Amino acid sequence: MERQQILDLYQWAPGICFRHPVKGETATIHVETVRPAGGGLQDVRACVDCALAMEERRKAAAERGGVAYKPGMLGGPDPADQP
């Protein structure tokens, strides 16, 4: 699948990337919501570069595990975790 096809599987919104906060507000996807020790909820968001890197890692993990890789699942079930 091509880069843009993978990116099109996600809903993008302005936000701060968890790995690149110095970039400031940029297009991001929601990856996860966590509960920090200090309380409350914090959304974890990823920029284009991070989303594509995470998809590459998911694809490699799926291949190692002998399961089918399906892009577009960041923040959802990981195919490498499927039986």
Side-chain angles (χ1 to χ4, degrees), residues 2-4 7 12 15-16 30 43 49 52 56 61-62 77-80:
E2 296 294 321
R3 169 188 165 102
Q4 191 59 51
L7 297 175
W12 295 88
I16 305 294
H30 179 264
D43 285 336
D49 292 336
L52 290 171
E56 281 296 317
D78 193 319

Side-chain angles (χ1 to χ4, degrees), residues 25-70:
E25 193 169 86
T26 187
T28 61
I29 60 168
H30 179 264
V31 178
E32 186 174 359
T33 300
V34 296
R35 292 185 179 273
L41 296 174
Q42 178 68 45
D43 285 336
V44 177
R45 302 193 67 83
C47 67
V48 169
D49 292 336
C50 290
L52 290 171
M54 289 188 289
E55 282 288 0
E56 281 296 317
R57 286 191 291 276
R58 288 182 62 250
K59 182 179 180 183
E63 289 171 355
R64 283 192 308 273
V67 296
Y69 163 68
K70 182 178 179 187

